[in-house]
Amino acid sequence: MIPRAAKTQRRTRIQEEKEEKILEAALDVFSAYGFRGATIDQIADAAGMSKPNLLYYFRTKEAIHRALLDRMLFTWLEPLRAFDPQGNPESEIRSYIRRKLEMSRDFPRESRLFANEILQGAPHIEDELKGPLKALVDEKAQVIRAWAKAGKIAPCDPYHLIFSIWATTQHYADFDVQVQAVLGDKAGGGRFEDAARFLEDLFMHGLAIK
Amino acid sequence: MIPRAAKTQRRTRIQEEKEEKILEAALDVFSAYGFRGATIDQIADAAGMSKPNLLYYFRTKEAIHRALLDRMLFTWLEPLRAFDPQGNPESEIRSYIRRKLEMSRDFPRESRLFANEILQGAPHIEDELKGPLKALVDEKAQVIRAWAKAGKIAPCDPYHLIFSIWATTQHYADFDVQVQAVLGDKAGGGRFEDAARFLEDLFMHGLAIK
DNA sequence: CGATAAATTGACCGATTGGTAAAAGCTTAC
DNA sequence: GTAAGCTTTTACCAATCGGTCAATTTATCG
């Protein structure tokens, strides 16, 4: 009856397909309207199924939202996790910026889902922010601080450095409409490369690297 | 009957007070939930009046939202407008960053209202973005480009520079929950000054100023 | 004061919200 | 096949949504 508690403990092929389809549709809707602004009917429509059918796979609106956030939070922190204390500051920071920027380009909906959640007070992921996220940032902040102490980069507040990289890279996903409106038809093709070059330069010179 | 079209063309004292109270309450609600996530009942509650009474002053939910956006958009662009082509790059950019950061500190709800609107595709202010905003940015971009050509700052894409300043400064208002979660109790007092110092350093060194 | 206009309210409307009940249709394993 | 369980649908629910209405209360002004 209830798929997630099926006797078999195994998920059917149909289950996997439908849940995937629902999450895909839900990502569209939640990222565009936030949790409260999104409706189950809208998601069901986008997923091409009836509302009761959707609610057969996810019992509540919150359950869909939570599933999306869980899946997203992991991949979202991947670039920061990949930050290597053994690497040299230049390539590490440079590739971190690039990876975050690539995520904004390739997964703008995920970025907006996250932004909506934070913007509205992070009611569903407060614990994840104060727990795992904070721990990871603390760890990487120590790495950056060590680099500064070793004279490899200019001394700076590592937390605000990380915030700045987050802000500037995610800006291109979250505020895309504004970016498009301001840039107009200018450099329609190489926009990503332009942003990457600018941000890498900014942070490299800003940190007195090279 | 309808206050905004009163015979007198003048607004009563009561009208001004109540409209102010409504906009104040609406700012709370819209900035926290976005347009679709906010409800009139909620705003009426927060404003301490009945829903029909609120609708006596603003005919629709959209009217309240639009009034908020109009008022906000003007002040929001003030710092960029104050950007002085005659001034020297260092003090202009430095004070622009500081002013934007002060706005994030002093008017976080306005920042989030704007962020919500952009995030959700800017359905209500698309024209303002493509019109007045773009024009203003184009103008200031020319100034920055001239500074670069004159060798006063390192050559860089002025648009992405402006985007970066927007992103980093507004981040402290829009993503406040995340910033709080990561920083914890650290430097509870001087947080604003820390951010200001970091950002000014970053952009000054990034632009090879001084 | 009295009269006229402005402000406020409770009752209400149709549409939409998140979600449920139950029965019908469909797969799968034996 | 057939029976068991999985999937889907139709019909429906109470609550809430944005908004209206008529009637009442309150402020303003000569």
Side-chain angles (χ1 to χ4, degrees):
Chain A
M1 270 227 175
I2 295 159
R4 262 164 285 89
K7 281 181 186 170
T8 57
Q9 296 284 35
R10 276 204 163 283
R11 292 161 76 229
T12 321
R13 189 206 48 178
I14 294 182
Q15 271 173 41
E16 277 194 54
E17 284 175 9
K18 290 296 169 82
E19 286 181 12
E20 191 50 44
K21 208 166 188 183
I22 291 169
L23 290 178
E24 169 67 22
L27 181 56
D28 266 340
V29 178
F30 279 128
S31 69
Y33 299 108
F35 180 73
R36 289 190 39 162
T39 74
I40 299 182
D41 296 80
Q42 227 177 333
I43 299 171
D45 270 3
M49 64 180 71
S50 67
K51 180 166 61 172
N53 196 12
L54 182 149
L55 287 165
Y56 170 71
Y57 292 102
F58 293 91
R59 266 194 276 256
T60 64
K61 184 181 172 184
E62 282 218 28
I64 314 174
H65 193 242
R66 158 130 331 248
L68 270 182
L69 284 178
D70 284 348
R71 154 194 296 209
M72 186 261 295
L73 274 177
F74 183 84
T75 59
W76 209 243
L77 290 177
E78 199 50 44
L80 187 54
R81 231 180 270 115
F83 208 92
D84 183 9
Q86 313 301 334
N88 78 314
E90 185 197 340
S91 66
E92 285 308 312
I93 293 176
R94 198 182 282 272
S95 74
Y96 179 54
I97 291 169
R98 185 162 282 264
R99 248 176 267 193
K100 285 291 286 178
L101 202 55
E102 283 168 355
M103 293 195 69
S104 276
R105 179 193 58 186
D106 299 334
F107 307 103
R109 295 176 305 171
E110 282 82 351
S111 185
R112 282 194 275 264
L113 177 74
F114 185 70
N116 259 309
E117 174 68 12
I118 300 290
L119 205 53
Q120 312 199 350
H124 306 98
I125 58 169
E126 224 200 322
D127 294 344
E128 279 85 350
L129 296 186
K130 292 185 178 173
L133 174 70
K134 176 171 163 37
L136 183 60
V137 174
D138 281 341
E139 178 196 325
K140 301 305 181 183
Q142 282 309 320
V143 174
I144 295 171
R145 197 164 271 150
W147 285 344
K149 227 160 217 165
K152 295 180 180 174
I153 64 172
C156 71
D157 186 317
Y159 291 95
H160 291 289
L161 171 59
I162 292 174
F163 291 155
S164 294
I165 296 177
W166 286 350
T168 48
T169 54
Q170 293 176 8
H171 187 82
Y172 290 97
D174 303 341
F175 286 69
D176 178 59
V177 186
Q178 194 184 35
V179 171
Q180 299 280 347
V182 168
L183 291 186
D185 292 330
K186 222 167 318 203
R191 192 156 298 171
F192 172 80
E193 274 309 322
D194 286 351
R197 197 174 312 118
F198 175 86
L199 290 180
E200 288 183 24
D201 282 359
L202 173 67
F203 284 101
M204 289 304 120
H205 294 142
L207 295 174
I209 292 177
K210 266 188 18 178
Chain B
M1 268 230 176
I2 295 159
R4 263 165 284 85
K7 281 180 185 172
T8 57
Q9 295 285 34
R10 277 206 162 282
R11 293 163 71 231
T12 321
R13 189 208 64 214
I14 293 182
Q15 272 173 40
E16 277 193 53
E17 285 176 10
K18 289 297 168 81
E19 287 182 10
E20 192 49 45
K21 208 165 189 185
I22 291 169
L23 290 177
E24 169 67 21
L27 181 55
D28 267 341
V29 179
F30 279 128
S31 68
Y33 300 109
F35 180 74
R36 290 191 36 163
T39 74
I40 300 182
D41 296 80
Q42 225 177 333
I43 299 171
D45 270 3
M49 64 181 71
S50 66
K51 180 166 62 171
N53 196 13
L54 181 149
L55 287 165
Y56 170 70
Y57 292 102
F58 293 91
R59 265 194 276 256
T60 64
K61 183 182 172 182
E62 283 218 27
I64 314 173
H65 193 242
R66 160 133 326 252
L68 270 181
L69 283 178
D70 284 348
R71 154 195 294 209
M72 185 260 296
L73 273 177
F74 183 85
T75 61
W76 209 243
L77 290 177
E78 199 49 44
L80 186 55
R81 232 180 268 115
F83 208 92
D84 183 8
Q86 313 301 333
N88 78 313
E90 185 197 340
S91 65
E92 285 307 313
I93 292 176
R94 200 183 281 273
S95 74
Y96 179 55
I97 291 169
R98 185 161 283 263
R99 249 176 266 193
K100 284 292 285 179
L101 202 54
E102 282 167 357
M103 293 195 68
S104 276
R105 179 194 56 188
D106 299 335
F107 307 103
R109 293 175 307 170
E110 282 83 351
S111 185
R112 283 194 274 264
L113 176 75
F114 185 71
N116 259 309
E117 175 68 11
I118 301 289
L119 205 53
Q120 312 199 349
H124 306 98
I125 59 170
E126 223 198 322
D127 294 344
E128 278 85 351
L129 296 186
K130 292 186 178 174
L133 174 68
K134 175 171 165 38
L136 183 60
V137 174
D138 281 341
E139 179 196 324
K140 300 305 182 183
Q142 282 309 320
V143 174
I144 295 171
R145 198 164 271 152
W147 285 343
K149 226 160 217 164
K152 294 180 180 174
I153 63 173
C156 71
D157 186 318
Y159 291 96
H160 292 288
L161 171 60
I162 293 175
F163 291 155
S164 294
I165 295 177
W166 285 351
T168 48
T169 53
Q170 292 176 8
H171 186 81
Y172 290 97
D174 303 342
F175 285 70
D176 179 58
V177 186
Q178 193 185 35
V179 171
Q180 299 281 347
V182 168
L183 290 186
D185 292 330
K186 225 167 315 205
R191 193 156 297 172
F192 172 81
E193 275 308 324
D194 286 351
R197 197 174 312 118
F198 174 86
L199 290 181
E200 288 182 23
D201 281 359
L202 173 68
F203 284 101
M204 289 304 120
H205 293 143
L207 295 175
I209 292 177
K210 264 189 13 181

